[in-house]
Amino acid sequence: MSADRTDPTSSADGSRTRVQGMFVSLDGYAAGSYVTFEEPFGEAIALTRGFDGRAIHGVDKVEDLSFDAAMTSLWGQGIGVEIMGRRKFGPQEGPWTDDGWRGWWGEEPPFRTPVIVLTHHEREPLAFENGTVFHFLDASPHEALQRAHELAPGTDVRIGGGPSTVREFLAADLVDTMHLTIVPVTIGSGMRLLEGGLPSSDDFFIESVTLPSGRAHQIWYRRRP
């Protein structure tokens, strides 16, 4: 794959497109094969084991400054927009209904930025008092990234998942960095992050740190000409 820095989705101001803190099992799964109101992670619930979500708001929000907390705190740093797939927003399929659903997070979504939800069924934005605004867009990865740069110029864009959404942005050569948290569990079924094989080492540098807990943090950096 090769990058074209004249592409309108590539930012001349140095902002990056990032996958940040995505959980992956030892057997390669990053999400369950199903999502329901009762089981939002499906069979992949074990991926969340030991996760302290407070750290996404900064290391000062947790009592012990562990390596895990420090890496987790990078989730929001420099991010101006998230792009996510529809299943990350909710379990519904098909045209939207007037069911009052406003996402898994209630009235305090953790994003506090614009969020683009990729869906074939567009709808009016949903805005929250803490600055989160969900925009529902039927778009290709290039079109979604262009819209993200319009919503928050000069900031990084986080590709928030699920795994199929991340794969689409990888296939389009649009991911600059990827932070994966490898969780020491096996799931056996679900949705793999890198279905069909790993990106080439010609495309990414990869650094990895394994912790005594068995967790490993991988940082993938896009090789650019």
Side-chain angles (χ1 to χ4, degrees):
M1 288 184 277
S2 61
D4 179 1
R5 282 304 188 186
T6 65
D7 189 304
T9 60
S10 297
S11 178
D13 58 16
S15 63
R16 298 165 299 172
T17 303
R18 296 158 43 189
V19 176
Q20 195 67 49
M22 174 162 277
F23 293 160
V24 183
S25 68
L26 291 175
D27 49 351
Y29 294 100
S33 59
Y34 64 91
V35 172
T36 68
F37 290 106
E38 294 77 21
E39 297 180 272
F41 297 98
E43 68 268 50
I45 184 63
L47 289 176
T48 65
R49 185 179 301 161
F51 174 63
D52 187 345
R54 294 174 298 175
I56 66 174
H57 298 303
V59 293
D60 58 322
K61 303 299 182 183
V62 293
E63 294 179 2
D64 297 318
L65 181 54
S66 64
F67 188 86
D68 265 330
M71 293 300 294
T72 300
S73 71
L74 299 176
W75 179 82
Q77 290 188 14
I79 296 294
V81 183
E82 169 157 330
I83 299 174
M84 67 170 64
R86 178 168 173 175
R87 285 214 319 175
K88 184 173 176 180
F89 179 78
Q92 301 92 338
E93 297 181 352
W96 298 96
T97 62
D98 188 18
D99 62 358
W101 180 258
R102 289 168 64 83
W104 298 107
W105 310 275
E107 292 302 308
E108 289 290 332
F111 310 100
R112 303 180 183 181
T113 67
V115 178
I116 293 173
V117 180
L118 296 176
T119 172
H120 294 303
H121 302 277
E122 295 189 352
R123 58 185 290 191
E124 291 299 311
L126 286 177
F128 294 78
E129 290 185 1
N130 70 355
T132 303
V133 182
F134 291 103
H135 300 263
F136 301 88
L137 189 65
D138 185 3
S140 70
H142 283 83
E143 292 167 339
L145 193 54
Q146 177 65 37
R147 179 61 177 143
H149 288 313
E150 293 169 355
L151 287 169
T155 63
D156 287 358
V157 178
R158 183 176 54 239
I159 309 302
S164 59
T165 300
V166 172
R167 288 199 304 269
E168 290 176 0
F169 279 81
L170 283 169
D173 194 23
L174 295 175
V175 175
D176 295 305
T177 68
M178 186 159 61
H179 166 216
L180 307 181
T181 301
I182 312 302
V183 183
V185 297
T186 57
I187 296 173
S189 63
M191 297 183 65
R192 293 184 185 274
L193 175 61
L194 299 173
E195 196 74 61
L198 298 173
S200 168
S201 59
D202 293 336
D203 300 323
F204 287 92
F205 296 102
I206 303 174
E207 296 182 353
S208 183
V209 175
T210 301
L211 305 180
S213 65
R215 282 195 177 200
H217 292 270
Q218 291 184 356
I219 309 295
W220 299 50
Y221 303 94
R222 171 74 67 180
R223 296 178 186 265
R224 295 297 187 190

